Amino acid sequence: MEPGQRELLYATAGLGVWLGFGAFGYAVIEGWSIADGFYMAFITLTTIGFAEVHNLSMAGRMFTILIAFVGIGSVAFVASRVAGMVLMGHVIRQKNIARKIKKMRNHYIICGYGRIGKRMVSNLTQRGKDVIVLERNSEIVHDLTERGIPVVHGNASDERALERAGIKVAQGLITVLPVDGDNVFVTLVARDLNPDLFILARTTYTRNRRKLLQAGATEVVAPSDVGADRMAQVILRPNVDRFMTHVIEVSNASLMMEEVKVKPGSLLAGKTLADSRFRQNFESIVIAVIKESEETMRFNPGPHERIDAGDILIVIGSSKMTARLEAEACSP
Protein backbone atom coordinates (compact mmCIF):
# COMPACT_ATOMS: atom_id res chain seq x y z
CA MET A 1 0.00 0.00 0.00
CA GLU A 2 1.32 3.43 -0.96
CA PRO A 3 1.90 6.09 1.76
CA GLY A 4 -1.02 8.24 0.56
CA GLN A 5 -3.39 5.28 0.64
CA ARG A 6 -2.12 4.31 4.09
CA GLU A 7 -2.76 7.83 5.36
CA LEU A 8 -6.28 7.78 3.97
CA LEU A 9 -6.96 4.40 5.56
CA TYR A 10 -5.74 5.56 8.97
CA ALA A 11 -7.68 8.85 8.75
CA THR A 12 -10.90 7.05 7.75
CA ALA A 13 -10.48 4.52 10.54
CA GLY A 14 -9.84 7.33 13.03
CA LEU A 15 -12.93 9.18 11.81
CA GLY A 16 -15.02 6.05 12.31
CA VAL A 17 -13.67 5.68 15.84
CA TRP A 18 -14.45 9.34 16.55
CA LEU A 19 -18.05 8.89 15.32
CA GLY A 20 -18.42 5.92 17.63
CA PHE A 21 -16.93 7.94 20.50
CA GLY A 22 -19.43 10.74 19.81
CA ALA A 23 -22.39 8.36 19.77
CA PHE A 24 -21.27 6.79 23.03
CA GLY A 25 -20.59 10.21 24.60
CA TYR A 26 -24.09 11.53 23.85
CA ALA A 27 -25.57 8.32 25.19
CA VAL A 28 -23.69 8.75 28.49
CA ILE A 29 -23.98 12.52 28.89
CA GLU A 30 -27.52 13.09 27.61
CA GLY A 31 -29.02 9.64 28.08
CA TRP A 32 -29.84 9.32 24.34
CA SER A 33 -29.98 6.14 22.34
CA ILE A 34 -26.85 5.10 20.41
CA ALA A 35 -28.71 5.79 17.14
CA ASP A 36 -29.59 9.37 18.20
CA GLY A 37 -26.04 9.91 19.44
CA PHE A 38 -24.52 8.64 16.19
CA TYR A 39 -26.81 10.89 14.13
CA MET A 40 -25.90 13.94 16.23
CA ALA A 41 -22.18 13.18 15.90
CA PHE A 42 -22.55 12.71 12.15
CA ILE A 43 -24.35 16.00 11.46
CA THR A 44 -21.84 17.80 13.66
CA LEU A 45 -18.76 16.39 11.90
CA THR A 46 -20.16 16.89 8.41
CA THR A 47 -21.36 20.43 9.27
CA ILE A 48 -24.77 19.68 7.74
CA GLY A 49 -26.37 22.11 10.14
CA PHE A 50 -29.64 20.34 10.98
CA ALA A 51 -31.34 21.04 14.29
CA GLU A 52 -30.23 19.24 17.44
CA VAL A 53 -31.84 15.83 17.93
CA HIS A 54 -32.88 16.82 21.47
CA ASN A 55 -32.19 19.83 23.64
CA LEU A 56 -28.59 19.74 24.86
CA SER A 57 -27.39 20.37 28.41
CA MET A 58 -24.32 22.54 28.99
CA ALA A 59 -22.18 19.40 29.24
CA GLY A 60 -23.65 18.16 25.97
CA ARG A 61 -22.82 21.47 24.26
CA MET A 62 -19.22 21.32 25.49
CA PHE A 63 -19.00 17.73 24.19
CA THR A 64 -20.37 18.88 20.81
CA ILE A 65 -17.64 21.55 20.64
CA LEU A 66 -15.03 18.87 21.36
CA ILE A 67 -16.46 16.55 18.69
CA ALA A 68 -16.52 19.36 16.12
CA PHE A 69 -13.06 20.74 17.01
CA VAL A 70 -11.32 17.42 16.52
CA GLY A 71 -13.54 15.77 13.90
CA ILE A 72 -14.24 18.47 11.31
CA GLY A 73 -10.55 18.69 10.43
CA SER A 74 -10.44 14.91 9.98
CA VAL A 75 -13.48 15.00 7.66
CA ALA A 76 -11.86 17.76 5.58
CA PHE A 77 -8.61 15.77 5.42
CA VAL A 78 -10.38 12.59 4.27
CA ALA A 79 -12.48 14.49 1.69
CA SER A 80 -9.44 16.28 0.25
CA ARG A 81 -7.46 13.02 0.12
CA VAL A 82 -10.28 11.19 -1.68
CA ALA A 83 -10.66 14.02 -4.20
CA GLY A 84 -6.90 14.11 -4.72
CA MET A 85 -6.69 10.36 -5.26
CA VAL A 86 -9.56 10.45 -7.78
CA LEU A 87 -7.90 13.31 -9.67
CA MET A 88 -4.49 11.68 -9.47
CA GLY A 89 -5.93 8.39 -10.71
CA HIS A 90 -7.40 10.16 -13.73
CA VAL A 91 -4.10 11.93 -14.42
CA ILE A 92 -2.19 8.66 -14.16
CA ARG A 93 -4.60 6.99 -16.59
CA GLN A 94 -4.15 9.90 -19.00
CA LYS A 95 -0.36 9.54 -18.83
CA ASN A 96 -0.55 5.77 -19.31
CA ILE A 97 -2.79 6.19 -22.36
CA ALA A 98 -0.46 8.89 -23.77
CA ARG A 99 2.51 6.52 -23.42
CA LYS A 100 0.52 3.71 -25.01
CA ILE A 101 -0.46 5.91 -27.96
CA LYS A 102 3.18 6.91 -28.58
CA LYS A 103 4.18 3.24 -28.82
CA MET A 104 1.37 2.23 -31.20
CA ARG A 105 2.13 1.20 -34.76
CA ASN A 106 -0.17 -0.11 -37.52
CA HIS A 107 -3.24 0.91 -35.52
CA TYR A 108 -6.61 2.30 -36.61
CA ILE A 109 -7.79 5.83 -35.86
CA ILE A 110 -11.54 6.19 -35.28
CA CYS A 111 -12.74 9.76 -35.84
CA GLY A 112 -15.92 10.25 -33.81
CA TYR A 113 -17.27 8.08 -31.00
CA GLY A 114 -20.96 8.14 -31.83
CA ARG A 115 -23.18 5.13 -32.42
CA ILE A 116 -21.17 3.84 -35.38
CA GLY A 117 -17.79 4.78 -33.93
CA LYS A 118 -18.58 2.92 -30.73
CA ARG A 119 -19.49 -0.21 -32.71
CA MET A 120 -16.29 0.07 -34.77
CA VAL A 121 -14.12 0.30 -31.66
CA SER A 122 -15.86 -2.72 -30.12
CA ASN A 123 -15.51 -4.84 -33.27
CA LEU A 124 -11.87 -3.98 -33.90
CA THR A 125 -10.74 -4.48 -30.30
CA GLN A 126 -12.51 -7.85 -30.16
CA ARG A 127 -10.38 -8.87 -33.13
CA GLY A 128 -7.20 -7.81 -31.36
CA LYS A 129 -6.66 -4.60 -33.37
CA ASP A 130 -5.17 -1.50 -31.78
CA VAL A 131 -7.43 1.55 -32.01
CA ILE A 132 -7.19 5.21 -31.06
CA VAL A 133 -10.35 7.31 -30.79
CA LEU A 134 -10.17 10.93 -31.90
CA GLU A 135 -12.99 12.81 -30.17
CA ARG A 136 -13.67 16.48 -29.40
CA ASN A 137 -16.39 15.97 -26.76
CA SER A 138 -14.61 16.33 -23.40
CA GLU A 139 -17.19 14.22 -21.52
CA ILE A 140 -16.74 11.31 -23.94
CA VAL A 141 -12.95 11.70 -23.73
CA HIS A 142 -13.13 11.55 -19.91
CA ASP A 143 -15.32 8.44 -20.03
CA LEU A 144 -13.00 6.67 -22.50
CA THR A 145 -9.97 7.58 -20.39
CA GLU A 146 -11.60 6.09 -17.29
CA ARG A 147 -12.27 2.88 -19.27
CA GLY A 148 -8.67 2.71 -20.48
CA ILE A 149 -9.51 3.18 -24.17
CA PRO A 150 -6.79 5.13 -26.04
CA VAL A 151 -8.26 8.51 -26.94
CA VAL A 152 -6.98 11.84 -28.22
CA HIS A 153 -8.94 14.98 -27.37
CA GLY A 154 -9.23 17.18 -30.41
CA ASN A 155 -10.88 17.95 -33.72
CA ALA A 156 -10.40 15.22 -36.32
CA SER A 157 -9.73 17.83 -39.03
CA ASP A 158 -6.86 19.34 -37.02
CA GLU A 159 -3.44 18.19 -38.26
CA ARG A 160 -1.96 18.37 -34.76
CA ALA A 161 -4.68 16.13 -33.33
CA LEU A 162 -4.17 13.59 -36.13
CA GLU A 163 -0.42 13.64 -35.54
CA ARG A 164 -0.96 13.05 -31.81
CA ALA A 165 -3.04 10.03 -32.81
CA GLY A 166 -0.07 8.69 -34.79
CA ILE A 167 -1.49 9.07 -38.27
CA LYS A 168 1.93 8.74 -39.94
CA VAL A 169 2.42 5.23 -38.51
CA ALA A 170 -1.24 4.13 -38.54
CA GLN A 171 -2.61 1.35 -40.71
CA GLY A 172 -5.96 2.98 -41.32
CA LEU A 173 -8.32 5.83 -40.48
CA ILE A 174 -12.08 5.50 -40.15
CA THR A 175 -14.03 8.74 -40.19
CA VAL A 176 -17.64 8.34 -39.07
CA LEU A 177 -18.58 11.93 -38.27
CA PRO A 178 -22.30 12.72 -38.69
CA VAL A 179 -21.77 15.49 -41.30
CA ASP A 180 -20.47 14.49 -44.74
CA GLY A 181 -18.62 17.78 -45.15
CA ASP A 182 -16.59 17.05 -42.01
CA ASN A 183 -15.71 13.59 -43.30
CA VAL A 184 -14.55 15.09 -46.60
CA PHE A 185 -12.27 17.56 -44.83
CA VAL A 186 -10.87 14.92 -42.47
CA THR A 187 -10.15 12.69 -45.47
CA LEU A 188 -8.31 15.52 -47.27
CA VAL A 189 -6.14 16.30 -44.24
CA ALA A 190 -5.45 12.62 -43.46
CA ARG A 191 -4.49 11.82 -47.06
CA ASP A 192 -2.10 14.76 -47.12
CA LEU A 193 -0.41 13.61 -43.88
CA ASN A 194 -0.13 9.95 -44.94
CA PRO A 195 -0.47 9.21 -48.68
CA ASP A 196 -0.39 5.43 -48.11
CA LEU A 197 -3.08 5.36 -45.40
CA PHE A 198 -6.20 3.23 -45.81
CA ILE A 199 -9.14 5.59 -45.27
CA LEU A 200 -12.69 4.36 -44.72
CA ALA A 201 -15.27 7.15 -44.75
CA ARG A 202 -18.93 7.23 -43.82
CA THR A 203 -21.44 9.14 -45.90
CA THR A 204 -25.01 9.96 -45.03
CA TYR A 205 -26.00 10.61 -48.64
CA THR A 206 -24.93 8.35 -51.50
CA ARG A 207 -24.50 11.37 -53.79
CA ASN A 208 -21.49 12.43 -51.69
CA ARG A 209 -19.61 9.17 -52.29
CA ARG A 210 -17.75 10.63 -55.30
CA LYS A 211 -16.64 13.68 -53.32
CA LEU A 212 -15.16 11.50 -50.58
CA LEU A 213 -13.34 9.32 -53.12
CA GLN A 214 -11.95 12.43 -54.80
CA ALA A 215 -10.83 13.73 -51.40
CA GLY A 216 -8.73 10.57 -50.97
CA ALA A 217 -10.95 7.98 -49.28
CA THR A 218 -10.04 4.38 -50.07
CA GLU A 219 -13.55 3.11 -49.43
CA VAL A 220 -16.86 4.88 -48.73
CA VAL A 221 -19.80 3.29 -46.93
CA ALA A 222 -23.34 4.62 -46.63
CA PRO A 223 -24.85 2.95 -43.53
CA SER A 224 -28.39 3.67 -44.75
CA ASP A 225 -27.72 1.77 -48.00
CA VAL A 226 -26.13 -1.12 -46.14
CA GLY A 227 -29.12 -1.32 -43.82
CA ALA A 228 -31.58 -1.25 -46.71
CA ASP A 229 -29.66 -3.95 -48.60
CA ARG A 230 -29.58 -6.10 -45.47
CA MET A 231 -33.34 -5.78 -44.99
CA ALA A 232 -33.94 -6.79 -48.60
CA GLN A 233 -31.60 -9.76 -48.12
CA VAL A 234 -33.60 -10.91 -45.10
CA ILE A 235 -36.80 -10.82 -47.16
CA LEU A 236 -35.50 -12.33 -50.40
CA ARG A 237 -32.88 -14.83 -49.14
CA PRO A 238 -33.45 -15.41 -45.43
CA ASN A 239 -31.33 -18.57 -45.16
CA VAL A 240 -28.43 -17.00 -47.07
CA ASP A 241 -28.62 -14.01 -44.72
CA ARG A 242 -28.68 -16.34 -41.73
CA PHE A 243 -25.54 -18.09 -42.96
CA MET A 244 -23.69 -14.85 -43.72
CA THR A 245 -24.63 -13.41 -40.34
CA HIS A 246 -23.26 -16.54 -38.69
CA VAL A 247 -20.02 -16.27 -40.64
CA ILE A 248 -19.39 -12.54 -40.52
CA GLU A 249 -20.57 -11.84 -36.97
CA VAL A 250 -17.48 -10.57 -35.14
CA SER A 251 -18.38 -12.02 -31.75
CA ASN A 252 -18.89 -15.52 -33.19
CA ALA A 253 -15.74 -17.54 -32.42
CA SER A 254 -16.97 -20.89 -33.81
CA LEU A 255 -17.00 -19.86 -37.48
CA MET A 256 -15.71 -16.76 -39.18
CA MET A 257 -14.66 -15.37 -42.56
CA GLU A 258 -11.11 -14.08 -42.65
CA GLU A 259 -8.51 -12.87 -45.12
CA VAL A 260 -4.87 -13.94 -44.85
CA LYS A 261 -1.97 -12.83 -47.02
CA VAL A 262 0.60 -15.38 -48.22
CA LYS A 263 4.07 -14.00 -47.56
CA PRO A 264 7.31 -14.92 -49.38
CA GLY A 265 9.06 -17.94 -47.90
CA SER A 266 5.89 -19.33 -46.32
CA LEU A 267 4.65 -22.93 -46.49
CA LEU A 268 1.89 -22.14 -49.03
CA ALA A 269 3.93 -19.93 -51.36
CA GLY A 270 4.43 -21.72 -54.67
CA LYS A 271 2.24 -24.71 -53.81
CA THR A 272 -1.25 -25.83 -54.80
CA LEU A 273 -4.02 -26.34 -52.27
CA ALA A 274 -3.76 -30.10 -52.87
CA ASP A 275 0.03 -30.19 -52.34
CA SER A 276 -0.28 -28.32 -49.05
CA ARG A 277 -3.13 -30.61 -47.86
CA PHE A 278 -4.95 -27.42 -46.92
CA ARG A 279 -8.30 -28.90 -45.84
CA GLN A 280 -6.69 -31.69 -43.81
CA ASN A 281 -4.14 -29.51 -42.04
CA PHE A 282 -6.18 -26.40 -41.32
CA GLU A 283 -9.85 -27.49 -41.39
CA SER A 284 -10.76 -24.35 -43.31
CA ILE A 285 -12.34 -23.63 -46.69
CA VAL A 286 -10.77 -21.32 -49.27
CA ILE A 287 -13.67 -19.57 -50.99
CA ALA A 288 -11.59 -17.11 -53.04
CA VAL A 289 -8.03 -16.26 -54.00
CA ILE A 290 -7.16 -12.65 -54.76
CA LYS A 291 -4.22 -12.34 -57.15
CA GLU A 292 -3.00 -8.80 -56.44
CA SER A 293 -0.36 -9.04 -59.17
CA GLU A 294 -3.10 -9.72 -61.73
CA GLU A 295 -5.79 -7.67 -59.95
CA THR A 296 -8.17 -10.65 -60.19
CA MET A 297 -10.32 -12.61 -57.75
CA ARG A 298 -10.86 -16.32 -58.29
CA PHE A 299 -13.89 -17.78 -56.53
CA ASN A 300 -14.05 -21.39 -55.36
CA PRO A 301 -10.49 -22.30 -56.37
CA GLY A 302 -9.84 -25.94 -57.29
CA PRO A 303 -7.35 -28.23 -55.52
CA HIS A 304 -4.72 -27.55 -58.20
CA GLU A 305 -4.93 -23.76 -57.85
CA ARG A 306 -1.37 -22.46 -57.36
CA ILE A 307 -0.88 -20.12 -54.43
CA ASP A 308 1.83 -17.51 -54.89
CA ALA A 309 3.49 -15.11 -52.49
CA GLY A 310 1.42 -11.94 -52.27
CA ASP A 311 -1.90 -13.73 -52.82
CA ILE A 312 -4.75 -13.09 -50.39
CA LEU A 313 -6.88 -16.05 -49.33
CA ILE A 314 -10.49 -15.56 -48.26
CA VAL A 315 -11.18 -18.45 -45.91
CA ILE A 316 -13.97 -19.73 -43.68
CA GLY A 317 -13.04 -21.53 -40.49
CA SER A 318 -12.75 -21.21 -36.74
CA SER A 319 -10.83 -18.26 -35.31
CA LYS A 320 -8.29 -20.68 -33.84
CA MET A 321 -7.69 -22.35 -37.20
CA THR A 322 -7.42 -19.10 -39.16
CA ALA A 323 -4.89 -17.79 -36.63
CA ARG A 324 -2.91 -21.02 -36.99
CA LEU A 325 -3.14 -20.79 -40.78
CA GLU A 326 -1.71 -17.28 -40.77
CA ALA A 327 1.09 -18.18 -38.35
CA GLU A 328 2.15 -21.57 -39.74
CA ALA A 329 1.32 -21.54 -43.46
CA CYS A 330 1.26 -17.90 -44.57
CA SER A 331 4.23 -16.51 -42.67
CA PRO A 332 7.93 -17.21 -43.38
Coordinates of all heavy atoms in Angstrom, one line a residue, residues 110 112-123 174-177 202 221-224:
I110 N -10.1 6.0 -35.1 CA -11.5 6.2 -35.3 C -11.9 7.6 -35.0 O -11.7 8.1 -33.9 CB -12.3 5.3 -34.3 CG1 -11.8 3.8 -34.3 CG2 -13.8 5.3 -34.6 CD1 -12.0 3.1 -35.7
G112 N -14.5 10.1 -34.3 CA -15.9 10.2 -33.8 C -16.4 9.0 -33.1 O -16.2 7.9 -33.6
Y113 N -16.8 9.2 -31.8 CA -17.3 8.1 -31.0 C -18.8 8.1 -30.8 O -19.3 8.2 -29.7 CB -16.5 8.1 -29.7 CG -16.6 6.8 -28.9 CD1 -16.0 5.7 -29.3 CD2 -17.4 6.7 -27.7 CE1 -16.1 4.5 -28.6 CE2 -17.5 5.5 -27.0 CZ -16.8 4.4 -27.5 OH -16.9 3.2 -26.8
G114 N -19.5 8.2 -31.9 CA -21.0 8.1 -31.8 C -21.4 6.7 -31.9 O -20.7 5.8 -31.5
R115 N -22.6 6.5 -32.4 CA -23.2 5.1 -32.4 C -22.3 4.2 -33.3 O -22.0 3.1 -32.9 CB -24.6 5.2 -33.0 CG -25.3 3.9 -33.1 CD -26.8 4.1 -33.5 NE -26.9 4.9 -34.6 CZ -26.8 4.5 -35.9 NH1 -26.7 3.2 -36.1 NH2 -27.0 5.3 -36.9
I116 N -22.0 4.7 -34.5 CA -21.2 3.8 -35.4 C -19.7 3.7 -34.9 O -19.1 2.6 -34.9 CB -21.2 4.4 -36.8 CG1 -22.7 4.4 -37.3 CG2 -20.3 3.6 -37.7 CD1 -22.8 5.0 -38.7
G117 N -19.2 4.8 -34.4 CA -17.8 4.8 -33.9 C -17.6 3.8 -32.8 O -16.6 3.1 -32.7
K118 N -18.6 3.8 -31.9 CA -18.6 2.9 -30.7 C -18.6 1.5 -31.2 O -17.9 0.6 -30.7 CB -19.8 3.2 -29.8 CG -19.8 2.4 -28.5 CD -21.0 2.8 -27.7 CE -21.1 4.2 -27.3 NZ -22.2 4.6 -26.5
R119 N -19.4 1.2 -32.2 CA -19.5 -0.2 -32.7 C -18.2 -0.6 -33.4 O -17.7 -1.7 -33.3 CB -20.7 -0.3 -33.7 CG -21.0 -1.7 -34.2 CD -21.5 -2.6 -33.1 NE -21.9 -3.9 -33.6 CZ -23.1 -4.2 -34.0 NH1 -24.1 -3.3 -34.0 NH2 -23.4 -5.4 -34.4
M120 N -17.6 0.3 -34.1 CA -16.3 0.1 -34.8 C -15.2 -0.2 -33.8 O -14.4 -1.2 -33.9 CB -15.9 1.3 -35.6 CG -16.7 1.5 -36.9 SD -16.7 0.2 -38.1 CE -14.9 0.1 -38.4
V121 N -15.1 0.5 -32.7 CA -14.1 0.3 -31.7 C -14.3 -1.1 -31.0 O -13.4 -1.8 -30.8 CB -14.2 1.4 -30.6 CG1 -13.3 1.0 -29.4 CG2 -13.7 2.7 -31.2
S122 N -15.6 -1.4 -30.7 CA -15.9 -2.7 -30.1 C -15.5 -3.9 -31.0 O -14.8 -4.8 -30.6 CB -17.4 -2.8 -29.8 OG -17.7 -4.1 -29.3
N123 N -15.8 -3.8 -32.3 CA -15.5 -4.8 -33.3 C -14.0 -5.0 -33.5 O -13.5 -6.1 -33.5 CB -16.2 -4.6 -34.6 CG -17.7 -4.8 -34.5 OD1 -18.2 -5.3 -33.6 ND2 -18.4 -4.3 -35.5
I174 N -10.7 5.7 -39.9 CA -12.1 5.5 -40.1 C -12.8 6.8 -39.7 O -12.8 7.0 -38.5 CB -12.6 4.3 -39.4 CG1 -11.8 3.0 -39.8 CG2 -14.1 4.1 -39.7 CD1 -12.1 1.8 -38.9
T175 N -13.3 7.5 -40.6 CA -14.0 8.7 -40.2 C -15.5 8.5 -40.3 O -16.1 8.3 -41.4 CB -13.6 9.9 -41.0 OG1 -14.3 11.1 -40.7 CG2 -13.7 9.7 -42.5
V176 N -16.2 8.6 -39.1 CA -17.6 8.3 -39.1 C -18.4 9.5 -38.4 O -19.3 9.3 -37.6 CB -17.9 7.0 -38.3 CG1 -17.5 5.8 -39.1 CG2 -17.2 7.0 -36.9
L177 N -17.9 10.7 -38.8 CA -18.6 11.9 -38.3 C -20.0 12.1 -38.9 O -20.2 11.6 -40.0 CB -17.7 13.1 -38.6 CG -16.3 13.1 -38.0 CD1 -15.5 14.3 -38.5 CD2 -16.3 13.0 -36.5
R202 N -17.5 7.4 -43.9 CA -18.9 7.2 -43.8 C -19.6 8.4 -44.6 O -19.1 9.5 -44.5 CB -19.4 7.2 -42.4 CG -20.9 7.4 -42.2 CD -21.3 7.9 -40.8 NE -22.7 8.1 -40.7 CZ -23.3 8.5 -39.6 NH1 -22.6 8.8 -38.5 NH2 -24.6 8.7 -39.6
V221 N -18.6 4.1 -47.3 CA -19.8 3.3 -46.9 C -20.9 4.2 -46.5 O -20.7 5.1 -45.7 CB -19.4 2.3 -45.8 CG1 -20.7 1.6 -45.3 CG2 -18.4 1.3 -46.2
A222 N -22.1 3.9 -47.0 CA -23.3 4.6 -46.6 C -24.1 3.7 -45.7 O -24.7 2.7 -46.3 CB -24.2 5.1 -47.8
P223 N -24.1 3.9 -44.4 CA -24.8 2.9 -43.5 C -26.3 2.8 -43.9 O -26.9 1.7 -43.7 CB -24.7 3.6 -42.2 CG -23.5 4.4 -42.3 CD -23.4 4.9 -43.7
S224 N -27.0 3.8 -44.4 CA -28.4 3.7 -44.8 C -28.6 2.7 -45.9 O -29.5 1.9 -45.9 CB -29.0 5.0 -45.1 OG -28.2 5.6 -46.2

